Structures are given as C-alpha cells and as structure tokens.
Amino acid sequence: MGFARACSVALAGVEGVVVEVQADLEPGVAAFTLVGLPDKSLVESRDRVRAAVVNSGAEWPQKKLTVGLSPASVPKSGSGFDLAVACSVLGAAERIDPAAIADVVMIGELGLDGRVRPVRGVLPAVLAAAEAGYRQVVVPEQTAGEAALVPGVSVLGVRSLRQLIAVLGDEPVPDEPVAEEGRPDPMLAGLMVPGAGIGTGLAAGGRGAGQQPDLADVVGQTRARKALEVAAAGGHHLLLSGPPGAGKTMLAERLSGILPPLSRRESLEVTAVHSVAGILPPGEPLVTRAPYCAPHHSATMQSLVGGGNGLPRPGAVSLAHRGILFLDEAPEFSGRALDALRQPLESGHVVIARAAGVVRLPAGFLLVLAANPCPCGRHTLTGAGCECPPSAVRRYQARLSGPLLDRVDLRVEVEPVGRADLMGSGGRGESSAEVAARVRTARARAVERLAGTRWTANSQVPGHELRTRLTAAPGALMAAERDMERGLLTARGLDRVLRVAWTVADLRAADRPDASDIAVALELRTGIHRGALLKAGAS
C-alpha cells in the first residue's frame, strides 16, 4: 500500500486554511475517488490530473486511488489544488520521494498537457501558508513574483509538471516553450476574471505612478480643495454636493494623487484582495498606490459589499481597501446598497454570511460621495430655472439617509466655476505634488502621536481617547458644545469634529487643536459657512 501527502491552501475570502492533500493506493479495481468537500471544479481535477500525469511521461497507477482533502469539514473550491493532487499521487506511486513533498505547499492548475496554469489568490494563499509555519511553496511561474512578496518563504516557480517532477527527483530540468514576444500568453487567462475591472469601476491608473490627474487642473474651488486636503491627511469621508458641471467628479478623481503611498503592509493587504478578485494585472505583483474604485450607480448591494454564488467574493468596498470608494450620483444608488455601507464605514471590514459560510473581508476605505441638490441639479443656482417641486427635492435629498451622512466627516458645497477662473485669469492652483507633501507631513505627525497604539490616522481614533487623552486646547470646544445643544451635532458627530480638528491642526503643525481648528472642523462637518475655512487658508 502506497501513501503520500502534499499541501495546498483553501481560501475563504482573503483568508486561507492549509489543506493536507493525502493520496492512498490500494490493490483493487482501478478507480479515483476524491473526498473532503470539493466543489465542481475540484471534482473535475480527477480527469485533469490523470491526463497531465500521463502526458508528462509518468505512469498512472492502475490501482484503487483515494485522495482526501483534510480537514474534511472545510469547503474547498477552485482548481488550485491540481498540482498538490498530482504530486501526492506520484508520491504514493513512488515516482517521486514522498518525504520530498510532505511539507511543501503547492498551488496551481494543471492543463491536460501537463502545463501549470496560474490561479487567483496566490498571495493570500502563500501568506496563510507562511503563518502556518510552512517555508517551501511551489506556484506557477507567472505568479512567482506575487508569491515572493511574502518574506521567509522559499518560492519555486514551474511551468509544467515535468519540471516539478525533475526538480523533486534531482533530475535534469526540461525546458518548456514560452510565449513569443509580442503575443499574449494564454497561460495568464486564469489570473483575470472577465469584466471584473470594468464592473467595479477600478481605475488602472491607481496602481502605479502613470498618468495621475493633477490637482492643478482644477480652477477655483478653494473650499473643496481644502476639504480634499483635510480628507487625505486624516482619512475622513467626504460629501461633495453641487450642481452638474461644478467639478465634483474632477475633484474626486484627483484625491488619490495626494494620498500618501501605501506602506509595505498595506500594499500586501490590497494586493491580496485584488488577487482574489482577479483584477491584479500580470506583471504587477504589488499594488503600491491607493486604489480608486468608482462603481456605477446601478450597482447592487452584493456588488458593493461582496457576494456571489458559494463563498462570497470581494465587492467594491473591499477593492477600495486602503484607497477611495467614489459614489458619483450617490442619491441614484439604491437605499439598500447605501445603507449597507454603514457597518464597513465604522469597523473597516465587512462580514458576509451565506449558506456556504461566513467570510470577513477588509473594507477600510475613504468614502467620497457626489450628489446634486435636486433631480435636475439646478436647485441651488440663481435664475437657473429649477422646476422641481419642493417635495421632489426633499425626496431626492432624503435618499442619503441620516445615519449614513452622520458617518461622513466633511460636507462641502461645490460652487459653479466663474468665467474669470475658467478662462485662466485667476491662475493655476497648487499641484498635487505640493498638496501631497503637506499631507505626508500631517500624516507623519499623526503617526508619531499615535505611536504605540493600533491607529495610524486621525479618523481611526475612538471618541473616548479624544475626550480623555488627546484633548483639545482649553475652551476650544465651546462652539461645538453649542451646536450639540442645538441639535446640529450628535455624539458621533462631536467625535468626528474632534478627529477633523486634529487633522487641521496637523496640517498647520500645531501641537493640539484650538478654537480656530474646531471652527474649521464644524464648518466642514455641518456645511454651514462660518468663514473659518477661508481664514484657515486654502491649497
């Protein structure tokens, strides 16, 4: 009786569980049984593995073969187990040494000709293997760079099962043909989900330096530019309201250009989500800039927070993790979809429960909402001829519920651009690079102040910390207390005013917020013009 085992990884969202793939050969009628809660694509691996082994020059054992996936209670899905199944069978048949594969994690799909095809989710799978104590990983050659991002793990990238057999048996490694230069590599098809990038509104420009939209292209909009700077410096959610053509979308598209680059840890988190979702471009194994995700207003609740058949897949809130989620024409989104954002806005993650299991996905994003004042958009314009009845205006504005808006720190009215600004007589504003430098300095001050805690930005600090340990200057909260007594602020709103005030203080390099910083935060929070924002200076 022959027995061998190898390892692979079962993914649930962006978290993985190491699965032991065991192969057992017994005398009897030739048969292949696969057990351990496999899904349809995994059950079909029996035919793929048999053909790949035979076409790789190895002999298929003519005995009763049982392959078990342990732990048997964990659902397994996808074709990434093929490589581990093939090697465990060859180990049980003594074609390769069973000891050589016992503690090796193998991830990859097999073609009928023995080629190893890449699969999605390699980075989170290797991260799970490293956390479980495994130090040797075999992956398809095309995803070796992605797997190598995990420190302390030895990665072997192979193009075919023949090459892996030769490496494990200490034999000469055969050469495999590669795609001709200039022609697409068909092996990369498994890395991308058709239509995934288009359906989520994910901007490719957010992945690298590339052609980033520059804030200098925006003319006028002093208040909105200042709000953008505060949002980027503290990670605060933002509502831009105003008539069509005022520049709301233009401003939101330039927010990612002033956000600081992702840290190594943040890059791994974002890359893991994009790898699972199938939107990680080949040749770009690491996402280094904050993503920018702008789904269409017809998006369903499942496409925003995650869902799908079987185990849920990441939605737009997870694809925008550590970046920006921009909802243009926000009142046009369904009420269920908008209200589903409440929980991830507070917690930074989303928990999706389905019959197949419960998945926890990261969702720490910066929300930017853009809204018109009424269905026609001309309600706030003098002499523009808005014909919307007051009931229609109230209904339209009520689509953004109070509980959702209470979680938005900054609310700015975007005024139409005047002729003088548009024709260039007002001069160009500051560039994204100049504003980004101030944002980085402010973020560095916040990180230094919050050292030793689990928070890295002002928007993450709990309210009790702001009222006890990180206090404002004496008497600075008088205006905020008056607004709270008048009902203009809730308890959550007061906490968010304090967070914004700390960000404003960081931007002007102050030790702690004073009354002027609180006034700016109140103006940004309530949307009521008090003159404080303009006095504070604009970018």
Side-chain angles (χ1 to χ4, degrees):
M1 181 178 71
F3 176 84
R5 63 185 178 90
C7 295
S8 192
V9 178
L11 288 176
V14 294
E15 298 177 355
V17 177
V18 176
V19 173
E20 193 175 87
V21 182
Q22 305 168 342
D24 177 68
L25 283 174
E26 298 178 357
V29 178
F32 189 169
T33 305
L34 184 64
V35 297
L37 284 184
D39 72 343
K40 180 66 174 177
S41 61
L42 188 48
V43 169
E44 292 174 349
S45 69
R46 295 179 299 185
D47 300 316
R48 290 195 300 269
V49 170
R50 182 186 294 110
V53 168
V54 172
N55 290 328
S56 297
E59 183 179 350
W60 183 260
Q62 297 301 316
K63 294 182 180 180
K64 181 182 178 181
L65 171 62
T66 303
V67 173
L69 308 174
S70 179
S73 60
V74 176
K76 293 91 180 173
S77 61
S79 56
F81 294 86
D82 288 3
L83 203 57
V85 171
C87 288
S88 62
V89 171
L90 292 173
E94 299 183 351
R95 172 62 180 85
I96 57 180
D97 183 8
I101 61 172
D103 295 319
V104 179
V105 175
M106 302 181 181
I107 304 163
E109 176 187 330
L110 285 175
L112 299 184
D113 57 355
R115 290 184 298 172
V116 180
R117 303 182 66 92
V119 294
R120 292 177 285 119
V122 166
L123 177 59
V126 177
L127 284 170
E131 290 175 1
Y134 292 86
R135 293 294 174 261
Q136 291 182 304
V137 177
V138 178
V139 298
E141 187 180 65
Q142 293 86 345
T143 57
E146 185 180 341
L149 296 173
V150 182
V153 175
S154 175
V155 178
L156 173 63
V158 294
R159 291 190 66 87
S160 69
L161 182 60
R162 284 182 290 271
Q163 288 185 337
L164 181 56
I165 293 173
V167 171
L168 294 174
D170 199 17
E171 304 168 2
V173 180
D175 293 329
E176 294 292 340
V178 297
E180 296 180 15
E181 187 175 353
R183 296 188 60 183
D185 188 351
M187 301 289 285
L188 298 176
L191 292 177
M192 302 289 288
V193 174
I198 298 175
T200 57
L202 193 74
R207 302 189 184 280
Q211 293 290 332
Q212 287 286 330
D214 200 306
L215 200 57
D217 300 333
V218 180
V219 296
Q221 305 298 0
T222 302
R223 299 171 57 83
R225 289 169 63 96
K226 184 65 178 179
L228 234 63
E229 183 177 342
V230 173
H236 305 287
H237 307 305
L238 172 65
L239 168 64
L240 299 172
S241 58
K248 301 185 294 295
T249 303
M250 189 177 187
L251 286 162
E253 289 175 344
R254 281 149 180 79
L255 180 55
S256 60
I258 62 176
L259 287 176
L262 300 177
S263 66
R264 176 73 176 184
R265 176 173 167 272
E266 293 170 341
S267 292
L268 289 177
E269 291 177 5
V270 175
T271 304
V273 176
H274 289 199
S275 178
V276 169
I279 59 174
L280 193 64
E284 294 185 30
L286 187 66
V287 179
T288 57
R289 291 201 60 83
Y292 173 85
C293 191
H296 191 259
H297 59 74
S298 61
T300 62
M301 183 180 71
Q302 289 76 16
S303 67
L304 281 181
V305 301
N309 297 326
L311 286 175
R313 296 186 180 277
V317 296
S318 297
L319 299 180
H321 181 58
R322 302 295 183 184
I324 300 165
L325 177 65
F326 176 50
L327 302 186
D328 198 5
E329 306 292 347
E332 300 295 342
F333 283 78
S334 72
R336 291 181 67 243
L338 289 174
D339 288 339
L341 299 177
R342 296 185 198 174
Q343 186 252 340
L345 282 175
E346 286 290 322
S347 62
H349 64 266
V350 60
V351 178
I352 308 170
R354 296 290 187 270
V358 179
V359 172
R360 184 180 186 272
L361 296 169
F365 56 89
L366 194 163
L367 177 64
V368 180
L369 302 171
N372 294 327
C374 67
C376 75
R378 300 190 296 269
H379 180 64
T380 56
L381 296 178
T382 305
C386 174
E387 298 179 355
C388 300
S391 60
V393 175
R394 286 195 301 269
R395 256 193 325 269
Y396 187 81
Q397 295 179 350
R399 292 181 183 178
L400 298 178
S401 66
L404 175 64
L405 290 180
D406 201 34
R407 291 165 168 82
V408 178
D409 302 341
L410 315 175
R411 305 172 190 177
V412 178
E413 183 74 26
V414 181
E415 303 289 346
V417 179
R419 180 184 61 84
D421 289 329
L422 192 60
M423 301 309 294
S425 59
R428 287 169 62 89
E430 287 182 300
S431 66
S432 293
E434 294 173 291
V435 179
R438 289 200 299 270
V439 168
R440 285 194 299 270
T441 303
R443 287 246 181 172
R445 290 182 61 86
V447 169
E448 182 180 357
R449 181 173 62 253
L450 299 173
T453 69
R454 64 180 184 276
W455 314 300
T456 57
N458 292 325
S459 60
Q460 302 168 355
V461 182
H464 67 85
E465 289 285 328
L466 296 171
R467 293 188 297 271
T468 56
R469 189 169 67 88
L470 301 174
T471 57
L477 290 176
M478 292 180 60
E481 291 170 355
R482 285 196 302 269
D483 280 8
M484 194 171 181
E485 291 174 356
R486 296 170 184 169
L488 296 176
L489 280 181
T490 63
R492 180 193 287 122
L494 179 62
D495 291 344
R496 293 184 176 274
V497 165
L498 289 172
R499 294 170 185 169
V500 175
W502 272 105
T503 301
V504 176
D506 286 337
L507 283 171
R508 65 181 187 88
D511 292 334
R512 58 177 176 171
D514 58 14
S516 64
D517 299 324
I518 297 293
V520 172
L522 283 171
E523 183 169 339
L524 289 171
R525 170 74 184 180
T526 61
I528 301 174
H529 292 200
R530 309 176 189 219
L533 188 60
L534 296 179
K535 290 178 184 177
S539 59

